Amino acid sequence: MDILNSLISGIFNIVFQPFKNIDPVWGMLVVSFLTGIIMLFIFKATSDQKGIKRAKNLVKGHFLAIRLYKDDISLMFNTMSNILASNFLYMKKSMRPMLFLLVPVAFVLIQIGVRYEFRPLNVGETAVVSLQAEGGNVRLSEVILDLPQGLKLDMPPVRIDRLHEISWRILAEKAGDYEISFKYGNQAVKKSLVVVESLVPVTAAIARDDIGTTIMNPSESSISDASFASLISVVYPEREFEAFGFSVHWLVAFFVFSLVAAFGFKGFLGVEV
Amino acid sequence: MNKKLRSITLPGTCLLFCLLLTFSFYGCEQSKAEAVNGDKKVIVLGFDGVDPGLLSKFMAEGRLPNFKRLAEQGDYKSLGTSIPPQSPVAWSNFITGMNPGGHGIYDFLHRDPSLMIPISSTSETEGSASTVKFGKWVIPLSSGHVKNLRQGRAFWNILEDHNVETTVFKVPANFPPVASKGKTLSGMGTPDLLGTFGTFSFYTDDPPPNQDVISGGIVYPVQLINNGFEANLVGPKNTFLEHAPDAVIPFRLFRDPENATAQIDVQGHKILLQEKEWSDWVEVDFSLLPAGLQSVSGICRFYLKEVRPKMKLYVTPINIAPANPALPISTPDDYASDLHKCCGDFYTQGMPEDTKALSWGVFDHFDFHSQSKNVLEERLRLFEHVYNDFEKGLLFFYFSSTDLNSHMFYNMIDPDHPSYKAELAEEFGSVIPSIYENVDAVVGRVLDQLDDNTTLLVMSDHGFASFRRAVNLNSWLLDEGYISLRRGTSQSDVEYYDKVDWIRTKIYGLGFNGVYVNLRSRERNGIVLPTEKKKLLTEVSEKLLKLRDPETGEQVVNRVYLAEEIYSGRNLAYAPDLVVGYNRGFRASWETTIGTFPEEWISDNMDPWSGDHCMAAELVPGVILSNRKIQSANPKLFDLAPTILAEFGIGKTDEMVGGTIF
Ligand SMILES: [Zn+2]
């Protein structure tokens, strides 16, 4: 998984590179547009274009029938059931391309999510960093946090034996792309912590053997199997996303932008959807 | 969105996206008239409770260079306050240019003569009248609403009629904010999410012995198991459910086994605190209907007062969230959320300084001071934004810190106060002067950028005095035979007048300064005939003026005002018949204001609430400073509305009782 993650992350780092230091809406706009158009191609390649066209025409025809025979109740019912049937046909025809679209869309959303869900810390802000130990055998009092210069421990940690968890509050004193390390005996685990005012991926959590966390946080390697830590998380601030003066959730912006692109180019590329 | 939620919604989101892509195609200000007086600006800085005695003293000590500069460039005078000098009354005088007879606010408390109980004077809430039951759910068919009880037009509404732009920030006695074309945010009188004037929560494994009588907050005893406890944040009543139980949000606290630190987990937030540390504002959502159909947003801050030996966690009253207000707190509706966007969360509660927590011993002076500093820092931040945003027209901006800190720290500057302690005074004697210094900096900020087209008014609603002796006025009236209790009841059992024998009671006190005749045909069981009223009032007034403090021989009451001599206007219904003007050093006790009868008629005030102003108006004037010369010999609060109107070339209304001070 880590290899696939770093491959996809590498591609998206290049895609987002020009938008790192400008209003995040531009990165969103371009990536959503590209996604919309690429989805069209995939749709075209994986769907039965003729079948879709036929199904759509069928429905159109039935709608026409409704308008013509609107005074004849029995005919109306008949036509309506026909509409339903051709609708099902249409849905069936769209099922296959949809399945093909599902996986790439998920990867795109994850990549956008790590950039737009949270933002890196700003100088002067604090973040809570937590480490969950594997099982109850790890003595939390012996876990040591090592911070590079530019980051400072803001207060003594809170150790929660019952959750096998230890949390620190870290103050960002200087901008930087940091690596903090956690030591226990002769073991060590590392986790990134980003303090910068630009659009870069942030990794909210890394896990030892939790595939969900690893999929959702593709920009950083997961924790190695033998480690004393099973999960390390950083509570980054949520990114307040604004698109041209409107504060909207980034998912909404993505939908709108990519749908606009897809339908804008639909005729141009000759795709039946 | 938290991580868990994200991973759940992602596949769904992809599916939705694909569905949308596949199917969506197939289905198918009024014009602004030129304002009068062009780019004229009037800036009013309202510093609640700034006292001319203290201000002059600190100015003379060189602590307040900007106040001094303003006084020298323009003018500085005492400002006659309202009768009685209580904030809701005084600010209503300011807002309307009327006396209480016009705006109808006579005290913090009024009484309902048909029920003979104290009621809030400034606003009332009405629940939805019609509801429909649906299983265990009760669905309201119309929304409940809150009503601002202040009568009389606000002067900024008159400015707006003449197309003057207005920004009115947290003026007291304006909740819910009256309709306005300008930007207003409600202030004193704005409730918390529970609908109270502020209910803190205190979670501890060492509940104080007085926990059941504490007002203004609730103590939740907790039990620590393995260094942690689970408890609930208690929110508003869920009126969608039968019997309207409290809506709650569970939270967990874990303390470190050795360090004086703790972690609080609440609604996906993970908060780390050290002892004596405040969290930032935490946004919480109380769910009222399942599946997120209806919820109420609030904000609160956690204060880890003590980790060991005892666990003490204070949580501020749950404030209405400015980003998503559950009640109307601003005009336009989204002004509060605009402020939130630029400045983050802030106290929306009317009186944010938690004086109750200090009075009841949940806070000590250190805790209160740190909370009060939070309030001031936040207000200064908001001021910076609002001031930078202001271009022309009227800007009113309000600061509460000068008032509430004077209330709570007056005993630190008054060696004659019964609760004065030299060592505490050493530590906290500088609080009041330093608050004055803070607001002095605000004056400086405005003065530095003042142009010829701007009039600056710096004002307070009343002054301050020490509150050394608490007068149980109702106990005195009882001793004097004017009030009778039901036979067989002991004086100490009476609460909210519940055991007063009204058919043997002639006159009673209610609120901080009000005295009411138990008048036939007005009060529910009134016995005094209208023809006997005058004689009774004269008799009681004379006795009150003769009252001497048995300990010091000091005169307790300085003046007694007859309602008919001081009030005029169309809203006299709630007017008390007499207003008691206490001497400096004396004030009505908390107990007597709501109809409780302590044994002694006068006693030492040992409450940390040690300074006050509910006295004779002449003894506690406020202040007025301006960059213009003040011509009026005795400017008064109700002169300011006509003054501001006149600055824009607008005449005062017939109902306004004052005139311009320039
Ligand atoms: Zn006050």
Side-chain angles (χ1 to χ4, degrees):
Chain A
M1 195 67 219
D2 279 349
I3 297 166
L4 183 66
N5 267 342
S6 63
L7 189 75
I8 299 174
S9 294
I11 296 169
F12 275 85
N13 280 342
I14 296 166
V15 173
F16 273 104
Q17 184 62 32
F19 311 103
K20 256 174 90 172
N21 295 312
I22 54 175
D23 188 334
V25 74
W26 296 112
M28 175 65 82
L29 194 69
V30 170
V31 172
S32 313
F33 255 69
L34 286 177
T35 309
I37 292 164
I38 293 168
M39 292 306 131
L40 268 185
F41 277 114
I42 298 180
F43 193 90
K44 187 177 181 180
T46 56
S47 63
D48 170 7
Q49 288 281 299
K50 275 189 196 141
I52 286 184
K53 189 162 191 175
R54 207 165 46 241
K56 274 171 72 178
N57 283 338
L58 268 176
V59 179
K60 267 187 214 155
H62 295 314
F63 267 115
L64 193 68
I66 286 192
R67 237 178 294 157
L68 289 173
Y69 310 122
K70 60 177 185 288
D71 300 324
D72 189 329
I73 297 288
S74 68
L75 214 63
M76 277 270 282
F77 275 118
N78 206 356
T79 315
M80 265 151 65
S81 66
N82 284 338
I83 289 184
L84 213 63
S86 33
N87 242 326
F88 272 118
L89 179 69
Y90 176 73
M91 278 163 73
K92 208 177 110 191
K93 293 278 173 201
S94 311
M95 222 45 171
R96 205 174 92 98
M98 257 182 52
L99 288 174
F100 276 99
L101 284 175
L102 202 61
V103 174
V105 169
F107 278 110
V108 172
L109 280 175
I110 288 168
Q111 286 292 334
I112 298 180
V114 294
R115 288 166 176 83
Y116 287 85
E117 184 70 33
F118 301 107
R119 61 165 172 84
L121 287 185
N122 290 335
V123 172
E125 286 182 333
T126 59
V128 173
V129 174
S130 303
L131 178 145
Q132 211 172 329
E134 181 67 29
N137 298 327
V138 175
R139 286 174 303 279
L140 295 180
S141 57
E142 290 172 22
V143 177
I144 295 164
L145 171 71
D146 230 359
L147 291 177
Q149 250 195 351
L151 296 178
K152 198 181 125 191
L153 189 62
D154 198 35
M155 59 175 259
V158 181
R159 294 157 295 184
I160 307 168
D161 285 320
R162 135 163 75 133
L163 306 179
H164 317 307
E165 191 182 286
I166 173 164
S167 293
W168 297 265
R169 199 172 66 196
I170 294 174
L171 173 69
E173 289 187 313
K174 269 199 334 230
D177 193 348
Y178 298 104
E179 210 164 52
I180 53 181
S181 71
F182 305 84
K183 294 189 176 124
Y184 181 64
N186 52 9
Q187 288 190 52
V189 206
K190 288 187 160 70
K191 165 86 191 74
S192 71
L193 203 152
V194 206
V195 184
V196 66
E197 278 188 62
S198 57
L199 185 68
V200 294
V202 295
T203 301
I206 54 173
R208 203 176 95 158
D209 36 30
D210 174 7
I211 187 79
T213 305
T214 306
I215 291 176
M216 296 301 296
N217 293 279
S219 313
E220 200 171 333
S221 306
S222 50
I223 300 171
S224 72
D225 282 348
S227 175
F228 69 98
S230 59
L231 183 77
I232 300 172
S233 60
V234 178
V235 183
Y236 281 106
E238 278 175 31
R239 187 181 283 282
E240 310 273 334
F241 181 68
E242 273 202 2
F244 310 111
F246 295 97
S247 59
V248 287
H249 195 269
W250 62 267
L251 271 172
V252 176
F254 172 76
F255 281 141
V256 173
F257 293 161
S258 52
L259 286 175
V260 166
F263 292 117
F265 284 84
K266 182 180 80 116
F268 185 70
L269 298 172
V271 186
E272 279 296 335
V273 294
Chain B
M1 216 189 299
N2 65 33
K3 193 167 60 66
K4 207 173 200 170
L5 198 61
R6 226 171 85 191
S7 59
I8 294 166
T9 51
L10 195 77
T13 313
C14 296
L15 199 68
L16 185 70
F17 172 77
C18 300
L19 279 170
L20 275 171
L21 186 70
T22 327
F23 294 116
S24 55
F25 236 54
Y26 155 80
C28 303
E29 184 173 341
Q30 80 187 74
S31 73
K32 253 187 195 158
E34 190 51 38
V36 287
N37 222 339
D39 292 330
K40 175 74 191 173
K41 283 187 272 187
V42 174
I43 299 174
V44 186
L45 298 176
F47 298 132
D48 202 304
V50 162
D51 177 66
L54 292 176
L55 188 73
S56 298
K57 176 173 176 276
F58 299 148
M59 274 161 81
E61 289 169 3
R63 285 170 177 267
L64 311 174
N66 297 302
F67 273 103
K68 191 155 174 275
R69 184 150 60 112
L70 178 59
E72 282 167 4
Q73 282 174 15
D75 222 333
Y76 163 33
K77 288 188 174 175
S78 290
L79 184 66
T81 180
S82 59
I83 305 172
Q86 302 179 25
S87 290
V89 187
W91 287 105
S92 297
N93 278 20
F94 167 76
I95 291 171
T96 61
M98 302 176 192
N99 68 43
H103 58 64
I105 309 287
Y106 292 90
D107 197 293
F108 274 99
L109 296 170
H110 286 166
R111 94 287 185 222
D112 181 342
S114 65
L115 298 171
M116 302 308 282
I117 51 165
I119 53 172
S120 163
S121 65
T122 51
S123 65
E124 67 180 2
T125 316
E126 286 164 0
S128 171
S130 43
T131 55
V132 61
K133 269 182 78 171
F134 188 75
K136 62 175 180 171
W137 305 98
V138 183
I139 312 294
L141 293 177
S142 61
S143 57
H145 71 284
V146 272
K147 197 171 145 204
N148 190 334
L149 295 174
R150 179 175 43 70
Q151 306 295 311
R153 267 196 109 195
F155 72 83
W156 59 86
N157 283 156
I158 300 167
L159 292 177
E160 288 153 13
D161 289 347
H162 294 81
N163 295 311
V164 176
E165 291 182 18
T166 59
T167 305
V168 178
F169 192 94
K170 285 219 172 199
V171 73
N174 189 40
F175 174 80
V178 290
S180 162
K181 288 185 220 160
K183 298 172 187 165
T184 62
L185 184 72
S186 65
M188 186 189 294
T190 309
D192 61 7
L193 210 54
L194 270 56
T196 69
F197 288 137
T199 301
F200 65 80
S201 306
F202 188 54
Y203 303 86
T204 179
D205 55 356
D206 183 29
N210 63 353
Q211 61 165 312
D212 294 331
V213 295
I214 286 179
S215 66
I218 298 174
V219 177
Y220 298 97
V222 296
Q223 213 184 345
L224 265 85
I225 300 165
N226 291 333
N227 281 317
F229 71 81
E230 293 181 22
N232 285 326
L233 288 180
V234 177
K237 298 252 172 250
N238 186 352
T239 49
F240 288 98
L241 277 173
E242 244 183 311
H243 313 303
D246 294 325
V248 296
I249 295 173
F251 72 93
R252 298 194 295 179
L253 180 142
F254 306 97
R255 78 176 167 197
D256 187 86
E258 293 156 31
N259 301 327
T261 58
Q263 173 178 320
I264 297 160
D265 290 349
V266 57
Q267 265 190 352
H269 302 279
K270 189 186 269 191
I271 302 151
L272 257 56
L273 291 176
Q274 310 187 66
E275 198 166 75
K276 298 252 177 264
E277 196 177 43
W278 288 87
S279 75
D280 287 334
W281 284 108
V282 180
E283 296 176 1
V284 289
D285 270 312
F286 291 92
S287 163
L288 303 183
L289 284 177
L293 280 174
Q294 182 75 48
S295 66
V296 182
S297 309
I299 53 168
C300 61
R301 292 181 77 163
F302 293 83
Y303 176 61
L304 189 59
K305 180 175 162 67
E306 188 177 310
V307 177
R308 266 181 211 88
K310 296 298 177 185
M311 171 53 68
K312 292 175 183 172
L313 176 74
Y314 164 95
V315 185
T316 62
I318 315 274
N319 276 238
I320 294 170
N324 187 16
L327 287 173
I329 57 169
S330 70
T331 66
D333 283 341
D334 54 8
Y335 182 51
S337 60
D338 287 348
L339 287 168
H340 171 263
K341 253 185 224 164
C342 72
C343 309
D345 280 308
F346 54 87
Y347 276 102
T348 52
Q349 180 196 338
M351 289 218 247
E353 286 88 350
D354 203 338
T355 60
K356 292 283 184 194
L358 178 55
S359 283
W360 289 105
V362 166
F363 274 172
D364 56 24
H365 282 93
F366 174 89
D367 304 326
F368 176 80
H369 185 43
S370 71
Q371 191 256 341
S372 147
K373 278 193 289 190
N374 292 343
V375 175
L376 182 60
E377 276 164 23
E378 194 176 279
R379 193 63 58 90
L380 291 169
R381 204 170 67 229
L382 285 159
F383 172 74
E384 202 52 35
H385 171 79
V386 173
Y387 178 64
N388 287 332
D389 208 33
F390 170 67
E391 283 170 357
K392 59 178 182 179
L394 168 84
L395 169 64
F396 171 89
F397 199 96
Y398 172 81
F399 286 85
S400 59
S401 302
T402 35
D403 180 73
L404 288 160
N405 282 284
S406 300
H407 279 299
M408 305 318 278
F409 289 100
Y410 214 95
N411 55 350
M412 305 293 170
I413 58 167
D414 176 20
D416 292 331
H417 198 283
S419 66
Y420 177 84
K421 284 201 186 83
E423 63 276 23
L424 273 177
E426 178 84 19
E427 198 178 344
F428 295 104
S430 60
V431 171
I432 294 177
S434 78
I435 299 277
Y436 274 65
E437 286 167 7
N438 277 306
V439 296
D440 180 74
V442 174
V443 174
R445 175 85 179 81
V446 177
L447 262 186
D448 288 344
Q449 293 184 347
L450 211 58
D451 59 31
D452 294 341
N453 213 11
T454 306
T455 303
L456 171 63
L457 292 167
V458 175
M459 47 82 63
S460 68
D461 55 334
H462 51 66
F464 250 90
S466 192
F467 170 20
R468 298 173 192 145
R469 299 279 281 166
V471 180
N472 295 309
L473 184 68
N474 279 316
S475 303
W476 177 80
L477 288 169
L478 181 72
D479 294 347
E480 294 290 312
Y482 292 107
I483 295 179
S484 298
L485 301 181
R486 282 193 222 139
R487 282 177 228 288
T489 44
S490 136
Q491 193 168 334
S492 56
D493 291 343
V494 189
E495 264 185 336
Y496 302 109
Y497 307 91
D498 62 348
K499 294 182 180 72
V500 170
D501 186 356
W502 291 109
I503 49 174
R504 293 190 298 128
T505 291
K506 288 184 184 167
I507 196 163
Y508 59 101
L510 189 145
F512 291 89
N513 301 84
V515 171
Y516 300 80
V517 170
N518 188 23
L519 196 64
R520 184 178 290 181
S521 77
R522 184 181 70 180
E523 263 76 359
R524 184 171 64 173
N525 295 308
I527 57 161
V528 177
L529 294 170
T531 48
E532 300 165 348
K533 183 179 159 192
K534 181 89 186 194
K535 188 169 155 264
L536 175 65
L537 289 174
T538 312
E539 180 185 309
V540 172
S541 300
E542 281 168 5
K543 283 193 185 178
L544 279 170
L545 287 169
K546 283 189 195 136
L547 266 182
R548 294 293 179 273
D549 185 339
E551 279 199 358
T552 60
E554 270 180 279
Q555 187 175 345
V556 174
V557 175
N558 179 273
R559 276 192 75 161
V560 182
Y561 311 84
L562 272 175
E564 57 193 55
E565 288 168 6
I566 51 170
Y567 298 140
S568 57
R570 280 190 278 168
N571 293 293
L572 295 158
Y574 285 107
D577 299 307
L578 278 186
V579 176
V580 182
Y582 293 99
N583 222 337
R584 283 176 77 91
F586 299 88
R587 202 206 76 180
S589 70
W590 294 105
E591 294 89 340
T592 201
T593 61
I594 51 165
T596 310
F597 294 73
E599 296 289 337
E600 301 285 321
W601 74 268
I602 189 165
S603 58
D604 277 340
N605 169 33
M606 299 307 285
D607 193 300
W609 183 285
S610 53
D612 211 283
H613 43 79
C614 299
M615 300 165 189
E618 292 74 12
L619 304 180
V620 283
V623 299
I624 176 80
L625 295 93
S626 176
N627 59 334
R628 292 191 57 189
K629 264 265 155 296
I630 298 169
Q631 302 300 338
S632 164
N634 293 304
K636 292 194 163 61
L637 258 181
F638 50 56
D639 292 329
L640 297 185
T643 303
I644 296 165
L645 292 180
E647 287 300 286
F648 289 98
I650 301 166
K652 65 168 192 159
T653 66
D654 293 342
E655 288 175 311
M656 292 185 172
V657 291
T660 179
I661 62 169
F662 296 128

